[in-house]
Amino acid sequence: MKTRLYTLITLVCFITIITSCDDFNDINVDPTTSTTANPKTLISKVQTSYSGDRETQWRSLAAYHMSITQMISDGWTVSHGQAYKLDISYMEYMWKSSYREINDLILAIQEAETNPDLVNYEAVARILKVMIFAQLTDSYGDLPYFEAGAQAEADNLHPAYDNQEDIYNDFFIELKEAADQLDSSKSLEGDLIFNGDVDKWKKFANSLRLRYAMRLVNVNIGKAEEEAVQAIADGVMESVDDTAAVEHGDYNVSTSGATEIRGNGFSQVQNFSEEIIVACDTYISYMRENNDPRMLMMFGMYAAYQEDATSRYNSKSTTETSVEITQEYLAKYGILEGYAPGYFLWEAPENAPADIWSPRYVEKDGKTVQIDKFFKSLQIRRNLTRIDLPSIYQSYSEVELWLAEAVERGWTSFGGDAKTHYKNAIFANIDELTNILGAEPNLELNADDYAENLWANTPDKMEAINMQHYMNNFYNGIEGFANWRRSGYPKLKPTTDNAYTDQTLNGLIPRRLPYPNTEMNFNRENLEAHLYDGVNFWGAPVWWDGSFNRGVDLSD
């Protein structure tokens, strides 16, 4: 399997140079791009590069999606979103890279349409195109869709913007048609997600359709139910084996900053020497207070021996010289915490302990470990920061949570009650952590008691279900940001008094990414009608959200 992966990734890396555009200011056809595309290699390339681009994972996923939803905190550039610090230059990265991937997929579709034997490549490209477009529109709102990319006329440098509702309606058509197109009698080579298994691609298409149907519950409940029930009837994921995950290779970005798409992009960010990422206490406190068996599978305490503690780099979990001290720290200090939301690591949170700036010490293997201020919070476990960590695009555990919600809403009686699907999701997520991501098993695991107690002790079952989405989406943070806005869970306390906080938010929380300056400057005529009162305001909800404060804790 690894040999196959490395061979394919080497090939797609070459294809990237040939087929992808350097600059998508106009998000249309690059005149230097070849119009003769190989659908097989383009699809392979997109499958890995979509989650393998460090710069995009840095400036969107980590800096805003994960930190706005208080999953992670950091020292500065990774987690601007934790303090709602607006850096408009960061907004270019996801926009450009997503349209680059979409352009490659459109080229693959156009070429596959000319050859009936390539029908599976056309269908897979359509499914991936919807997935990428969905995360793009969920992040920014209305955007160029029907005129975007290689499908547009070559001289259309200013594509029209489409309403998110129209975009979503087309998603359902595309996913239904693509699933129906898939043909098990035809080949599907170079597939890095399901290794050519057409039946799993059908389940993935239907599972994505279920995800996007659930997005609509606040704006069109009838359409949400219709599409969700039909997606379930057509066949969604049924086990962890159906999880849509792509393997990565052990390829880190070079010190020169050259593009590298083969390694896991989020792991590349964490392994970058200057960046320090810790868990946010909003995320950790929910795990800790409910005795979540996954907490110690995902997070641990790391620091450096006293003689090595002169460099912060030596205390990062990604650094082999760091020392894992989880149990030693817990035994001495009595609690494992994340960092307070709304603050950078070099700031002192409100009600910080008296020794916040002073080191703490534990003994490990007869030597003294020094825990400096930045490392008094849990970090992501070393084994889950490796460069070849797989990326999960959609998990079976996510699907089980959608099924739980569908049952709880009374939409369908396809088998099992809401609690059963809820528990299935928790068990599946633990399985995904160990058997897909490679987390160390928790030998004290009692997942059944955890699930039973949490379900019984959470009166609002929608809260119970969506807080598990929050837990599940740590490794799919863009989805975490989307479902927080959709569901209102968790209830996040907004940052209001940080010196870097964008005060135009008026005490609320960002609900989208602002449009990049390239669009504001070069396609303003088409964009203008889709701004909020003429302003590029990141506190305004996207169409399916429709709320300025769902999920915001406004209590004193």
Side-chain angles (χ1 to χ4, degrees), residues 153-166:
E153 296 296 328
D155 60 352
N156 180 14
L157 301 180
H158 306 286
Y161 272 63
D162 300 294
N163 294 324
Q164 190 176 60
E165 181 176 10
D166 296 330

Side-chain angles (χ1 to χ4, degrees), residues 142-435:
D142 300 344
L143 45 74
Y145 179 75
F146 294 104
E147 291 186 8
Q151 64 197 5
E153 296 296 328
D155 60 352
N156 180 14
L157 301 180
H158 306 286
Y161 272 63
D162 300 294
N163 294 324
Q164 190 176 60
E165 181 176 10
D166 296 330
I167 295 170
Y168 256 74
N169 286 336
D170 195 62
F171 287 166
F172 299 125
I173 295 170
E174 283 289 292
L175 290 170
K176 173 65 174 173
E177 291 182 357
D180 290 343
Q181 269 187 311
L182 288 161
D183 185 346
S184 59
S185 70
K186 298 289 196 300
S187 65
L188 181 56
E189 299 172 350
D191 171 23
L192 300 177
I193 295 178
F194 295 121
N195 196 23
D197 190 321
V198 169
D199 289 337
K200 289 185 178 182
W201 274 103
K202 289 182 179 180
K203 293 178 185 179
F204 183 31
N206 295 327
S207 298
L208 285 174
R209 189 173 164 199
L210 175 59
R211 173 195 281 175
Y212 304 136
M214 288 299 194
R215 286 278 203 275
L216 309 188
V217 294
N218 297 308
V219 290
N220 192 338
I221 193 69
K223 179 72 169 178
E225 180 179 359
E226 175 189 354
E227 292 292 345
V229 170
Q230 189 59 57
I232 294 166
D234 288 347
V236 294
M237 295 178 184
E238 299 175 290
S239 73
V240 172
D241 289 341
D242 293 331
T243 293
V246 64
E247 291 191 47
H248 288 287
D250 190 13
Y251 299 96
N252 201 356
V253 69
S254 71
T255 55
S256 66
T259 299
E260 176 55 76
I261 65 170
R262 294 169 294 178
N264 182 297
F266 184 48
S267 292
Q268 292 181 53
V269 174
Q270 295 173 77
N271 279 266
F272 191 58
S273 62
E274 296 179 6
E275 300 305 331
I276 300 169
I277 293 177
V278 299
C280 181
D281 200 56
T282 303
Y283 191 86
I284 292 301
S285 63
Y286 186 78
M287 300 186 102
R288 183 182 62 242
E289 291 164 8
N290 292 290
N291 297 315
D292 194 315
R294 292 164 292 188
M295 188 173 86
L296 294 185
M297 296 172 65
M298 297 169 62
F299 304 101
M301 296 295 297
Y302 293 82
Y305 287 122
Q306 195 169 18
E307 61 269 25
D308 297 325
T310 53
S311 169
R312 290 173 181 163
Y313 177 74
N314 290 336
S315 293
K316 290 176 57 175
S317 64
T318 55
T319 307
E320 289 297 328
T321 54
S322 67
V323 184
E324 195 265 308
I325 53 164
T326 309
Q327 294 304 324
E328 290 83 359
Y329 188 92
L330 181 60
K332 185 170 182 179
Y333 294 102
I335 190 170
L336 299 173
E337 300 174 288
Y339 203 68
Y343 298 90
F344 295 103
L345 293 182
W346 42 266
E347 298 174 316
E350 185 179 1
N351 300 319
D355 70 342
I356 184 170
W357 302 110
S358 303
R360 291 180 174 177
Y361 301 93
V362 298
E363 296 299 311
K364 176 85 170 187
D365 298 330
K367 298 179 67 176
T368 299
V369 178
Q370 179 173 318
I371 308 113
D372 290 327
K373 191 252 187 182
F374 281 29
F375 304 103
K376 294 175 184 176
S377 301
L378 287 162
Q379 299 185 60
I380 299 171
R381 286 223 172 241
R382 178 179 289 134
N383 191 43
L384 297 179
T385 66
R386 65 186 194 279
I387 301 298
D388 64 353
L389 187 79
S391 291
I392 296 177
Y393 293 143
Q394 189 175 31
S395 66
Y396 167 60
S397 58
E398 177 197 322
V399 172
E400 280 287 351
L401 290 171
W402 297 132
L403 297 179
E405 181 169 335
V407 174
E408 187 67 19
R409 289 181 179 276
W411 288 355
T412 180
S413 57
F414 48 81
D417 58 15
K419 185 175 83 167
T420 299
H421 290 294
Y422 173 83
K423 291 176 67 174
N424 287 345
I426 292 172
F427 302 153
N429 187 237
I430 292 169
D431 196 356
E432 290 152 4
L433 282 170
T434 54
N435 294 321

Side-chain angles (χ1 to χ4, degrees), residues 491-529:
K491 299 292 184 185
L492 300 177
K493 194 73 176 172
T495 297
T496 58
D497 58 358
N498 192 288
Y500 296 94
T501 297
D502 180 2
Q503 296 302 318
T504 66
L505 292 166
N506 294 319
L508 295 177
I509 300 176
R511 302 193 78 83
R512 64 164 76 196
L513 299 185
Y515 293 106
N517 276 340
T518 48
E519 286 299 293
M520 293 292 290
N521 293 333
F522 298 111
N523 201 14
R524 181 67 181 253
E525 183 176 352
N526 287 314
L527 170 58
E528 186 74 35

Side-chain angles (χ1 to χ4, degrees), residues 85-102:
K85 180 184 186 298
L86 178 58
D87 189 329
I88 199 68
S89 69
Y90 278 30
M91 303 308 153
E92 302 283 348
Y93 288 88
M94 183 181 183
W95 185 273
K96 289 184 178 181
S97 66
S98 294
Y99 276 113
R100 184 167 58 243
E101 310 293 8
I102 289 163

